[in-house]
PDB file of all heavy atoms in Angstrom:
ATOM      1  N   LYS A  70     -99.782  -4.195  87.591  1.00 67.00           N
ATOM      2  CA  LYS A  70     -99.977  -3.492  88.866  1.00 67.00           C
ATOM      3  C   LYS A  70     -98.826  -3.737  89.691  1.00 67.00           C
ATOM      4  O   LYS A  70     -98.750  -4.650  90.531  1.00 67.00           O
ATOM      5  CB  LYS A  70    -101.340  -3.953  89.442  1.00 67.00           C
ATOM      6  CG  LYS A  70    -101.819  -3.068  90.619  1.00 67.00           C
ATOM      7  CD  LYS A  70    -102.228  -1.752  90.063  1.00 67.00           C
ATOM      8  CE  LYS A  70    -102.843  -0.916  91.197  1.00 67.00           C
ATOM      9  NZ  LYS A  70    -102.856   0.487  90.922  1.00 67.00           N
ATOM     10  N   ASP A  71     -97.814  -2.838  89.619  1.00 52.00           N
ATOM     11  CA  ASP A  71     -96.558  -2.997  90.339  1.00 52.00           C
ATOM     12  C   ASP A  71     -96.684  -2.853  91.814  1.00 52.00           C
ATOM     13  O   ASP A  71     -96.028  -3.553  92.580  1.00 52.00           O
ATOM     14  CB  ASP A  71     -95.513  -2.012  89.817  1.00 52.00           C
ATOM     15  CG  ASP A  71     -95.024  -2.288  88.381  1.00 52.00           C
ATOM     16  OD1 ASP A  71     -95.103  -3.483  87.982  1.00 52.00           O
ATOM     17  OD2 ASP A  71     -94.621  -1.363  87.724  1.00 52.00           O
ATOM     18  N   ASN A  72     -97.487  -1.950  92.281  1.00 51.00           N
ATOM     19  CA  ASN A  72     -97.590  -1.643  93.654  1.00 51.00           C
ATOM     20  C   ASN A  72     -98.622  -2.542  94.428  1.00 51.00           C
ATOM     21  O   ASN A  72     -98.875  -2.337  95.575  1.00 51.00           O
ATOM     22  CB  ASN A  72     -97.886  -0.162  93.939  1.00 51.00           C
ATOM     23  CG  ASN A  72     -99.228   0.235  93.364  1.00 51.00           C
ATOM     24  OD1 ASN A  72     -99.907  -0.541  92.643  1.00 51.00           O
ATOM     25  ND2 ASN A  72     -99.648   1.427  93.659  1.00 51.00           N
ATOM     26  N   GLU A  73     -99.156  -3.498  93.685  1.00 49.00           N
ATOM     27  CA  GLU A  73    -100.160  -4.436  94.265  1.00 49.00           C
ATOM     28  C   GLU A  73     -99.426  -5.401  95.187  1.00 49.00           C
ATOM     29  O   GLU A  73     -98.394  -5.930  94.852  1.00 49.00           O
ATOM     30  CB  GLU A  73    -100.928  -5.181  93.194  1.00 49.00           C
ATOM     31  CG  GLU A  73    -102.238  -5.701  93.560  1.00 49.00           C
ATOM     32  CD  GLU A  73    -102.961  -6.241  92.402  1.00 49.00           C
ATOM     33  OE1 GLU A  73    -102.436  -7.174  91.734  1.00 49.00           O
ATOM     34  OE2 GLU A  73    -104.044  -5.748  92.106  1.00 49.00           O
ATOM     35  N   ILE A  74     -99.960  -5.640  96.333  1.00 41.00           N
ATOM     36  CA  ILE A  74     -99.337  -6.614  97.274  1.00 41.00           C
ATOM     37  C   ILE A  74     -99.542  -7.977  96.689  1.00 41.00           C
ATOM     38  O   ILE A  74    -100.616  -8.337  96.183  1.00 41.00           O
ATOM     39  CB  ILE A  74    -100.027  -6.541  98.648  1.00 41.00           C
ATOM     40  CG1 ILE A  74     -99.750  -5.188  99.333  1.00 41.00           C
ATOM     41  CG2 ILE A  74     -99.541  -7.674  99.564  1.00 41.00           C
ATOM     42  CD1 ILE A  74    -100.504  -4.955 100.593  1.00 41.00           C
ATOM     43  N   GLU A  75     -98.477  -8.738  96.712  1.00 48.00           N
ATOM     44  CA  GLU A  75     -98.499 -10.093  96.167  1.00 48.00           C
ATOM     45  C   GLU A  75     -99.537 -10.929  96.896  1.00 48.00           C
ATOM     46  O   GLU A  75     -99.492 -11.028  98.116  1.00 48.00           O
ATOM     47  CB  GLU A  75     -97.120 -10.783  96.278  1.00 48.00           C
ATOM     48  CG  GLU A  75     -97.077 -12.156  95.668  1.00 48.00           C
ATOM     49  CD  GLU A  75     -95.719 -12.824  95.888  1.00 48.00           C
ATOM     50  OE1 GLU A  75     -94.723 -12.099  95.862  1.00 48.00           O
ATOM     51  OE2 GLU A  75     -95.744 -14.037  96.025  1.00 48.00           O
ATOM     52  N   LYS A  76    -100.457 -11.526  96.171  1.00 51.00           N
ATOM     53  CA  LYS A  76    -101.502 -12.307  96.767  1.00 51.00           C
ATOM     54  C   LYS A  76    -101.011 -13.795  96.688  1.00 51.00           C
ATOM     55  O   LYS A  76    -100.552 -14.213  95.655  1.00 51.00           O
ATOM     56  CB  LYS A  76    -102.825 -12.197  95.983  1.00 51.00           C
ATOM     57  CG  LYS A  76    -103.344 -10.766  96.181  1.00 51.00           C
ATOM     58  CD  LYS A  76    -104.639 -10.566  95.421  1.00 51.00           C
ATOM     59  CE  LYS A  76    -105.122  -9.174  95.500  1.00 51.00           C
ATOM     60  NZ  LYS A  76    -106.266  -8.921  94.660  1.00 51.00           N
ATOM     61  N   ARG A  77    -101.146 -14.492  97.792  1.00 52.00           N
ATOM     62  CA  ARG A  77    -100.734 -15.871  97.802  1.00 52.00           C
ATOM     63  C   ARG A  77    -101.704 -16.634  98.650  1.00 52.00           C
ATOM     64  O   ARG A  77    -102.298 -16.187  99.544  1.00 52.00           O
ATOM     65  CB  ARG A  77     -99.340 -16.032  98.261  1.00 52.00           C
ATOM     66  CG  ARG A  77     -99.109 -15.458  99.633  1.00 52.00           C
ATOM     67  CD  ARG A  77     -97.675 -15.556 100.092  1.00 52.00           C
ATOM     68  NE  ARG A  77     -97.650 -15.068 101.445  1.00 52.00           N
ATOM     69  CZ  ARG A  77     -96.596 -15.259 102.260  1.00 52.00           C
ATOM     70  NH1 ARG A  77     -95.548 -15.859 101.808  1.00 52.00           N
ATOM     71  NH2 ARG A  77     -96.624 -14.814 103.482  1.00 52.00           N
ATOM     72  N   ASN A  78    -101.829 -17.931  98.331  1.00 63.00           N
ATOM     73  CA  ASN A  78    -102.773 -18.761  99.050  1.00 63.00           C
ATOM     74  C   ASN A  78    -102.013 -19.964  99.670  1.00 63.00           C
ATOM     75  O   ASN A  78    -102.535 -21.041  99.734  1.00 63.00           O
ATOM     76  CB  ASN A  78    -103.919 -19.246  98.084  1.00 63.00           C
ATOM     77  CG  ASN A  78    -103.347 -20.018  96.954  1.00 63.00           C
ATOM     78  OD1 ASN A  78    -102.141 -20.096  96.720  1.00 63.00           O
ATOM     79  ND2 ASN A  78    -104.254 -20.571  96.118  1.00 63.00           N
ATOM     80  N   TYR A  79    -100.829 -19.646 100.094  1.00 72.00           N
ATOM     81  CA  TYR A  79    -100.047 -20.686 100.745  1.00 72.00           C
ATOM     82  C   TYR A  79     -99.286 -20.049 101.892  1.00 72.00           C
ATOM     83  O   TYR A  79     -99.128 -18.832 102.056  1.00 72.00           O
ATOM     84  CB  TYR A  79     -98.999 -21.345  99.762  1.00 72.00           C
ATOM     85  CG  TYR A  79     -98.099 -20.279  99.162  1.00 72.00           C
ATOM     86  CD1 TYR A  79     -96.885 -20.041  99.777  1.00 72.00           C
ATOM     87  CD2 TYR A  79     -98.382 -19.637  97.965  1.00 72.00           C
ATOM     88  CE1 TYR A  79     -96.008 -19.089  99.228  1.00 72.00           C
ATOM     89  CE2 TYR A  79     -97.492 -18.705  97.454  1.00 72.00           C
ATOM     90  CZ  TYR A  79     -96.322 -18.437  98.071  1.00 72.00           C
ATOM     91  OH  TYR A  79     -95.461 -17.492  97.583  1.00 72.00           O
ATOM     92  N   THR A  81     -95.607 -20.058 104.232  1.00 81.00           N
ATOM     93  CA  THR A  81     -94.202 -20.463 104.221  1.00 81.00           C
ATOM     94  C   THR A  81     -94.002 -21.519 105.284  1.00 81.00           C
ATOM     95  O   THR A  81     -94.854 -21.677 106.204  1.00 81.00           O
ATOM     96  CB  THR A  81     -93.338 -19.287 104.495  1.00 81.00           C
ATOM     97  OG1 THR A  81     -93.531 -18.784 105.861  1.00 81.00           O
ATOM     98  CG2 THR A  81     -93.548 -18.131 103.518  1.00 81.00           C
TER      99      THR A  81
END
Side-chain angles (χ1 to χ4, degrees):
K70 191 68 174 160
D71 292 334
N72 62 352
E73 200 172 61
I74 296 172
E75 180 183 329
K76 295 178 183 173
R77 55 185 186 165
N78 60 356
Y79 59 90
T81 65

